[in-house]
Structures are given as C-alpha cells and as structure tokens.
Amino acid sequence: MSKLKIPAYQNQSSGFETFDDCCIYPINETQSIIQTVDFFTPIVDDPYTFGQIAATNSLSDIYAMGGIPLFALNIVGFPSDKINLEVLSDILQGGIDKCESAKIKILGGHSIKDDVPKYGLAVTGLIDNDKIIRNNKAAINDDIILTKPIGSGIISTAIKREIADNKVHDEVIKIMNDLNDKASSIMKRYNVKACTDVTGFGLLGHLKEMCIGSKVSAKIFYNKIPLILNTEDFAKKDIIPGGTKSNFNYLKNNINFKNTIKSFQKFILSDSQTSGGLLISCNKSDSQILLKELNNSLDYKSAIIGEFIHQKDYSIYCE
Ligand code: CO
Ligand code: CO
Ligand code: CO
C-alpha cells in the first residue's frame, strides 16, 4: 500500500494515511460522512450466524470512530452452482437482522458468483467534526482500555478442528456477534482521545498502528488482558491460525517482550480477531469510571491493559 501514488487533492478526506477505521469526508462546516467496507469468508458453520457476525464486524469501524451508522450495502460472493441458495438467504437475513439492531437498513448491494462464499457490508455513517475519535491521537499517560476478550481466531480454528466444546463455541459467538455500539456510546461520554477496533491484525497490530500514528509507545501487561475461555489451552497446543502467525512475524521487531512471556502468549497477543472490541486511549482521571460502566453494560469483560508512554525504541513493551 505504501507504494501507491495518491493524488494530493485526496488530502481533503483522510483516514488512509494512519490506517484509520473509516475514511472521513467532510460534508459541511460541522459534519462528516464516515465510510468503511469489510467482508470475509465464513468463520462459523451456521450461515445465519455468519451473516450476523460479518455485519457486526463491518459496523464496528463506524463505532470505533464514535460515529452513527446511517445505512449499509451488501457485498456478496456466492457459489450459486454448488451451494443451495437458501444458505445465501440465511446469510443475508443475518446481516439484515444485525443491521436492524443497529437501527439501520441495508439499501442495496452487489453480488458475484464466487468459489467461496464471502459476505460483508459497506457502511456509511455520520459524525460531528469535533467529535471524531481517531486512531492517531493516543496520549502519553492515558490508560489503554480493551472492551472485548481476545482469542477468537484461535478459538475459531479449534472449532473448525472440532476440538472446542459447546461452552467455548457459544462464548466466542456471543463475543463476535455483539455490536460495539454500547461500548462506543459509553466511551463518548468520557475523556477519550483515540480509539480503534481490534480485528485482523490482532491486539498488537492495531495497538502498534495507534502508537506509530500518535508518536507514542505502549506498555501492556499480559496478565491484565482478558482472554476468551480456553484460548491459552489451544494456543499451547499450537492451534494457531496462519494469519495470526504472519501477524506475529510482521510485528515482532516492533515489540519488546519481557523474557517471562512465552511464545504461545505472543501468538495470542497477535491473534487475528473477527469483530473484536474497541481499543481506547482514555485519560487516567476517567478510565476507572469508564471501565466500570463498560463492565456494567457488557456481558463479557473489559479491562485496562496498560498505558501509553513516551515514544521509545519499540512501539510496544509487553510484560
Ligand atoms: Co477497524
Ligand atoms: Co475495517
Ligand atoms: Co452492481
């Protein structure tokens, strides 16, 4: 991506340069359109649940910026010659129902014939210009809050290999299927300076983008990071998705791990997430109360996992 030639007039709208969650397009003095798009191949067996999770994941970028979603468009790839169209209808219904809980409609979309099913949404949102929460404004001394436990990549791999029990299965689906809308509306009431959502690049990958964009470093504590049930057990048995391993290889030179952190733990921190939580830079004066409110409203754990510090040799220090 860094080799692309981008014409200068595109500087009027931004987000691209710092890998922010949405692009921002000002429409008048006070408001901007924010736009995002996301789609992927099935991560669960049940088509309806897949549709719901894909929609939840697509909407997440709007919530990470503190915006309000307005409407969405479907993006569909489907092997209509190989799989019954009822499966597609279930996927789309999952998307429609999830958008209904986000109080928006899907107004159209586009589908193509494809060997592997793919589904997601392009979502358009609205935001006040003075309320945009970017990913590159993290501040030194701010606490780092994570609003969902991590490990969904590892757990999904364990489910595919049929070694995860029902309790783990239900837990990971509950987490991936929950909109970040509540977390977003709660965070907007506090002194929050930056936010992004944790998705494909994993906790370390998205935190690194925040650090580089904000010209700070981060110090995090492994033991404070909430994990989905059984994530450590599976990671110890090397049930690690390929994407998670490539995340780690791409990131490792930017991270200083204390020698007590074991290699399976490094993979967990790099684990590619689907529809993960928000990663928030919050002033220490507000972080405890924000955390308390998050944990009162969400039925999984949020936590303060560390803090932002002066920029040093590494982007992230993990102990
Ligand atoms: Co994002
Ligand atoms: Co995205
Ligand atoms: Co079309």
Side-chain angles (χ1 to χ4, degrees):
M1 297 273 268
S2 57
K3 292 197 179 105
L4 296 176
K5 297 190 186 91
I6 299 167
Y9 62 80
Q10 278 196 10
N11 288 344
Q12 64 184 272
S13 49
S14 69
F16 204 59
E17 312 76 27
T18 66
F19 304 97
D20 216 333
D21 297 296
C22 301
C23 67
I24 304 163
Y25 191 90
I27 48 167
N28 58 44
E29 296 280 286
T30 57
Q31 292 172 305
S32 292
I33 288 286
I34 51 176
Q35 177 76 51
T36 179
V37 56
D38 255 302
F39 62 97
F40 46 67
T41 56
I43 29 97
V44 288
D45 279 342
D46 179 57
Y48 178 77
T49 309
F50 168 54
Q52 284 190 307
I53 293 172
T56 306
N57 181 71
S58 299
L59 280 153
S60 181
D61 283 330
I62 301 283
Y63 296 127
M65 278 202 145
I68 301 290
L70 295 177
F71 67 92
L73 301 174
N74 279 328
I75 296 165
V76 182
F78 198 75
S80 45
D81 50 347
K82 284 184 242 157
I83 305 181
N84 193 314
L85 279 173
E86 259 177 48
V87 171
L88 176 58
S89 146
D90 287 346
I91 295 173
L92 298 180
Q93 192 63 54
I96 291 169
D97 291 353
K98 188 52 73 175
C99 283
E100 191 186 353
S101 32
K103 302 186 181 70
I104 63 163
K105 277 188 179 172
I106 297 173
L107 297 183
H110 189 75
S111 59
I112 57 163
K113 199 166 149 187
D114 200 348
D115 287 339
V116 182
K118 296 181 183 76
Y119 179 61
L121 300 173
V123 189
T124 302
L126 191 65
I127 196 161
D128 288 341
N129 293 334
D130 58 354
K131 302 218 170 83
I132 299 173
I133 306 174
R134 294 177 185 267
N135 71 343
N136 65 345
K137 298 279 182 273
I140 292 159
N141 251 331
D142 268 17
D143 277 331
I144 304 168
I145 297 180
L146 175 66
T147 70
K148 280 184 184 181
I150 60 169
S152 65
I154 289 166
I155 302 289
S156 300
T157 304
I159 291 172
K160 272 184 202 143
R161 296 189 195 174
E162 297 177 347
I163 50 171
D165 63 29
N166 287 340
K167 202 176 155 197
V168 175
H169 178 269
D170 294 351
E171 177 78 4
V172 74
I173 285 176
K174 180 179 82 181
I175 291 168
M176 295 191 294
N177 210 350
D178 196 47
L179 288 169
N180 282 326
D181 60 344
K182 282 186 237 90
S184 177
S185 61
I186 294 169
M187 90 170 159
K188 285 192 271 187
R189 297 204 299 269
Y190 293 98
N191 190 352
V192 162
K193 297 183 199 114
C195 178
T196 192
D197 60 335
V198 180
T199 52
F201 299 128
L203 172 63
L204 293 180
H206 292 281
L207 182 57
K208 191 204 87 175
E209 297 300 352
M210 280 182 108
C211 287
I212 289 180
S214 311
K215 299 187 173 64
V216 298
S217 290
K219 184 177 180 182
I220 58 170
F221 302 93
Y222 180 83
N223 289 330
K224 293 191 175 169
I225 297 165
L227 305 179
I228 301 170
L229 211 62
N230 287 8
T231 298
E232 284 201 323
D233 305 326
F234 293 132
K236 272 182 207 164
K237 292 179 192 146
D238 202 35
I239 318 277
I240 314 276
T244 295
K245 288 194 171 166
S246 16
N247 280 347
F248 173 70
N249 284 323
Y250 174 76
L251 288 164
K252 61 185 180 198
N253 296 330
N254 277 294
I255 323 279
N256 182 288
F257 292 103
K258 204 172 171 191
N259 55 19
T260 50
I261 305 292
K262 302 188 175 74
S263 78
F264 79 90
Q265 295 173 320
K266 296 177 189 175
F267 285 132
I268 291 174
L269 296 171
S270 316
D271 189 35
S272 184
Q273 302 298 284
T274 296
S275 191
L278 301 181
L279 192 59
I280 300 170
S281 168
C282 180
N283 194 287
K284 281 207 165 69
S285 62
D286 284 15
S287 57
Q288 293 295 341
I289 175 89
L290 169 56
L291 181 67
K292 199 174 160 197
E293 209 178 320
L294 287 166
N295 279 322
N296 285 339
S297 329
L298 306 173
D299 51 2
Y300 39 80
K301 194 169 185 256
S302 298
I304 294 173
I305 64 165
E307 63 181 350
F308 290 104
I309 57 176
H310 277 280
Q311 191 169 38
K312 297 205 281 181
D313 294 344
Y314 294 91
S315 285
I316 302 171
Y317 293 77
C318 179
E319 51 186 73

